[in-house]
Amino acid sequence: MTPKYTPLKDHDTPIKVLFTGYLCTVGIGYFFALMQILFTHGMADGQFGLSVDDIVYSYYGNRSGTVLETKLNGSMKDNASAQERFDIIKWVRDGADIDDYKDDGIDKIIEARCVMCHNESASGIPNFKEFEPLKALTSQDEGATFASLTRVSHIHLFGISFIFMFVGLIFSFAETTTNQYKCIAIGMPYAFLIADILSWWLTKVHPMFAWLVIFAGMGMGVSFMFMWVTSILEMWLFKPVFLNGIGSKYLEWRDSPDASAVDRLLLALKALAAQAKPLAAFVTEQWLTRAWPIIKGWLKK
């Protein structure tokens, strides 16, 4: 069947250059985004590398200490010496009194180590030239605030959706992937993006959802890389990869009349769903006719 679109390999060279330029730019941007995560969230527990504890500390918080302690032992650990961090933490645990702030020399440490970034000209971070913003960080560490989650959530949903829209648009011209799997690949990033944002809020409520943050992030990355690599290979290396190379085996498997394992799984799921409909109808009927009236009676009492 002749496709109703121009495959990537058959596009004019200027269009290929346009697509490739965009893919390379967002690919580099994605790489730096991962690096930024490693140097921010990945340092929440004081050790380089993203872990479940990092996610928990970032969103749920380290409830055994204060915000300032968590930062000094985590992402800000390298910005002060061990003795300076010890002095600040001791001051915090002694009550974070404003008189001790000056008498113990904490103000000098803050001025030398922190004010270079935490000042009135910096946006989004507290101004440590004033005492009150610093004092606010000596309370229990409860992770990200709901206000910050709201701000970051809408930024990510709007911004990353546009990235996936254009990457998916380019990938939609691929011809080595069937329409069924193409739809799955294009839709997966959006599903994982929503799951990722939702997992932030769930982790804020309970730390057990930290695993969902990692899983959703990995899902986004895998789907992005699949579309990215497939698009680049089809535009510039179609013949050596898909005709004469390892990709030819994939095309033989794709065009095989035998149903693949994935196809068989999808058919099994469809059959299971068809059988589940009567059961769902029965459960719904029992709920409405028996369980719900009993619950309503309890509520009236």
Side-chain angles (χ1 to χ4, degrees):
M1 180 178 178
T2 304
K4 299 179 181 179
Y5 57 87
T6 302
L8 285 171
K9 66 177 175 53
D10 295 331
H11 275 84
D12 293 336
T13 302
I15 299 298
K16 290 183 181 180
V17 172
L18 174 65
F19 287 171
T20 303
Y22 175 78
L23 290 174
C24 290
T25 301
V26 297
I28 295 171
Y30 205 102
F31 171 78
F32 280 111
L34 294 177
M35 291 298 101
Q36 192 264 345
I37 290 174
L38 288 177
F39 285 109
T40 52
H41 294 303
M43 290 295 295
D45 62 354
Q47 299 179 358
F48 184 77
L50 193 64
S51 66
V52 175
D53 286 339
D54 289 321
I55 303 299
V56 172
Y57 292 166
S58 297
Y59 296 105
Y60 181 76
N62 183 2
R63 303 295 173 94
S64 62
T66 64
V67 178
L68 200 56
E69 289 179 68
T70 300
K71 290 295 183 182
L72 288 172
N73 291 324
S75 57
M76 298 293 114
K77 186 175 182 179
D78 295 333
N79 293 337
S81 66
Q83 183 61 47
E84 289 170 330
R85 287 187 285 110
F86 175 81
D87 292 340
I88 296 175
I89 292 173
K90 182 178 181 299
W91 168 72
V92 170
R93 294 184 178 180
D94 287 342
D97 184 73
I98 189 170
D99 294 329
D100 294 336
Y101 178 68
K102 296 180 179 179
D103 295 341
D104 295 344
I106 305 301
D107 58 336
K108 299 292 192 300
I109 300 175
I110 297 297
E111 184 177 354
R113 299 295 186 178
C114 308
V115 171
M116 63 184 72
C117 296
H118 290 268
N119 51 58
E120 67 276 2
S121 61
S123 61
I125 57 176
N127 176 17
F128 285 173
K129 282 190 173 181
E130 300 177 3
F131 179 75
E132 289 305 320
L134 180 65
K135 174 70 175 180
L137 298 181
T138 61
S139 58
Q140 185 185 46
D141 180 15
E142 296 184 351
T145 63
F146 286 108
S148 65
L149 283 177
T150 302
R151 175 176 55 84
V152 176
S153 295
H154 91 270
I155 292 173
H156 278 71
L157 285 170
F158 286 146
I160 298 179
S161 293
F162 275 108
I163 294 175
F164 287 141
M165 182 184 74
F166 290 117
V167 173
L169 178 63
I170 295 171
F171 174 73
S172 66
F173 294 106
E175 62 178 309
T176 57
T177 307
T178 63
N179 281 336
Q180 183 181 27
Y181 296 137
K182 195 183 293 185
C183 291
I184 295 174
I186 292 174
M188 275 179 60
Y190 297 102
F192 281 117
L193 174 60
I194 294 173
D196 187 41
I197 302 299
L198 178 62
S199 65
W200 300 350
W201 292 83
L202 293 174
T203 305
K204 171 65 179 174
V205 176
H206 197 285
M208 65 176 288
F209 292 102
W211 281 103
L212 182 58
V213 178
I214 297 177
F215 174 76
M218 290 176 60
M220 273 197 298
V222 169
S223 54
F224 174 82
M225 284 304 299
F226 174 74
M227 292 190 291
W228 193 96
V229 171
T230 301
S231 300
I232 292 293
L233 291 179
E234 286 202 23
M235 279 190 287
W236 302 107
L237 299 171
F238 186 87
K239 186 175 181 179
V241 173
F242 293 104
L243 295 183
N244 302 328
I246 190 173
S248 60
K249 299 295 183 182
Y250 161 73
L251 294 181
E252 291 177 5
W253 169 81
R254 185 199 66 179
D255 298 332
S256 173
D258 298 330
S260 67
V262 177
D263 293 328
R264 290 195 293 270
L265 177 61
L266 291 175
L267 289 174
L269 290 175
K270 289 180 180 179
L272 183 62
Q275 295 179 4
K277 285 182 179 179
L279 177 61
F282 173 77
V283 172
T284 303
E285 181 184 0
Q286 294 300 313
W287 165 262
L288 294 175
T289 58
R290 297 188 179 185
W292 179 239
I294 295 174
I295 295 175
K296 287 177 65 177
W298 288 344
L299 293 175
K300 289 180 179 179
K301 293 179 181 179

